[in-house]
């Protein structure tokens, strides 16, 4: 079985400051990694994903994440946040066996951008 | 990206009644659909996986007789919450994948409130 840990339930940050949202995972098999964003009362929107290749992945809205296999981490970063980035962010994994396509989510991190 | 819709977006019902939630893939054929439940300020928990034309696979602890899933076509899956109780109040989110299914697309969610 796999699990995802997001250590920070809330991250307050001032507008235009950099931010890092942490994600660690545990799995006995290789996984794909994802970050999703959820705005209030809405579904999930894919920010970025790591499937293979370069460990630095760039996504939408200026976000990027780096896969670190030795530390089993996939932290999300943005160099300068905006008020509109205030949302819930979920890290997720999916095992590489295509027979099981469901995602396992972390508990989420609420990013609160303050003016 | 592909579009997944859910209907209704919100539903309020009395305890003991049944509620049907629809999940549609609008511009692709979804061979697999997933149903998640999200309690307030918590992560998404997978309830079941359905493949078109076959019975759904439920996660441990999810009552299949209470949460009926039908995936009758490649564009439609339904979740029926039977004899709903207040503890079933939650945000229900579906997602869909097609083909090799490396990416899944999420619906906007359905807020169920059982009085």
């Amino acid at each position: 079985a796999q699990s995802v840990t997001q250590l920070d339930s809330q991250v307050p940050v001032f507008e235009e400051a950099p931010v890092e949202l942490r994600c660690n995972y545990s799995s006995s098999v290789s996984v794909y990694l994802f970050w999703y964003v959820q705005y209030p009362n809405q579904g999930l929107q894919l920010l970025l994903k790591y499937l293979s290749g370069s460990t630095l992945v760039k996504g939408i809205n200026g976000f990027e994440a780096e896969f670190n296999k030795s530390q089993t981490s996939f932290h999300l970063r943005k160099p300068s946040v905006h008020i509109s980035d205030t949302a819930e962010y979920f890290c997720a994994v999916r095992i590489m066996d295509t027979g099981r396509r469901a995602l396992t989510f972390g508990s989420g991190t609420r990013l609160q951008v303050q003016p | 990206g592909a579009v997944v819709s859910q209907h209704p977006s919100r539903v309020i019902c009395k305890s003991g009644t049944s509620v049907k939630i629809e999940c549609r893939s609008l511009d692709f054929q979804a061979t697999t659909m997933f149903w998640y439940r999200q309690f307030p300020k918590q992560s998404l928990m997978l309830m079941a996986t359905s493949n078109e034309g076959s019975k759904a696979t439920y996660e441990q602890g999810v009552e299949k007789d209470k949460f009926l899933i039908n995936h009758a076509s490649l564009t439609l899956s339904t979740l029926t919450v039977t004899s709903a109780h207040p503890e079933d109040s939650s945000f229900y989110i579906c997602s869909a994948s097609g083909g090799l299914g490396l990416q899944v697309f999420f619906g906007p969610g359905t807020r169920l409130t059982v009085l």
Side-chain angles (χ1 to χ4, degrees), chain B residues 11-17 19 37-40 66-67 81-92 111-115:
Chain B
V11 58
I12 300 173
C13 69
K14 293 182 178 180
S15 184
T17 61
V19 175
R37 179 169 52 188
Q38 184 182 31
F39 292 108
K66 181 170 183 61
F67 299 99
V81 183
T82 61
S83 186
H85 291 286
E87 58 265 30
D88 298 324
S89 297
S90 188
F91 195 50
Y92 291 87
R111 172 80 56 196
L112 170 63
T113 303
V114 185
L115 303 176

Side-chain angles (χ1 to χ4, degrees), chain A residues 2 10 14-15 17 40 52 55 62 66 70 78 94 99 108 110:
Chain A
Q2 48 285 342
Q10 292 190 68
F14 287 107
E15 194 173 18
S52 65
T55 57
E66 186 157 20
S70 62
K78 186 169 182 176
R94 182 196 139 181
R110 174 132 184 93

Side-chain angles (χ1 to χ4, degrees), chain A residues 6 32 34 36 38 41-46 49 51 88 90 94 98 100-108 110, chain B residues 10 31-32 34 36 38 42-44 46 49 59 91 93 97-104 106-109 111:
Chain A
Q6 291 180 249
Y32 301 119
F34 304 83
Y36 286 87
Q38 184 181 36
N41 294 311
Q42 294 187 28
L44 274 69
Q45 180 181 4
L46 179 66
K49 60 182 182 286
L51 304 180
E88 192 83 20
F90 292 97
R94 182 196 139 181
T98 55
R100 171 129 176 122
R101 304 179 183 183
L103 295 168
T104 299
F105 287 89
S107 54
R110 174 132 184 93
Chain B
R10 289 178 177 269
T31 52
T32 306
F34 307 90
Y36 293 85
Q38 184 182 31
Q42 294 187 29
S43 188
L44 284 74
L46 180 68
T49 302
E59 295 299 298
F91 195 50
I93 302 175
S97 71
L100 292 178
L102 280 180
Q103 188 167 336
V104 293
F106 284 83
R111 172 80 56 196

Side-chain angles (χ1 to χ4, degrees), chain A residues 3 5 8 17 29 33-34 40 42 65 79 81 83 85 91-92 98 103 105 110:
Chain A
S3 65
T5 302
D8 306 306
V29 297
L33 296 144
F34 304 83
Q42 294 187 28
V81 295
I83 296 286
D85 292 323
C91 181
T98 55
L103 295 168
F105 287 89
R110 174 132 184 93

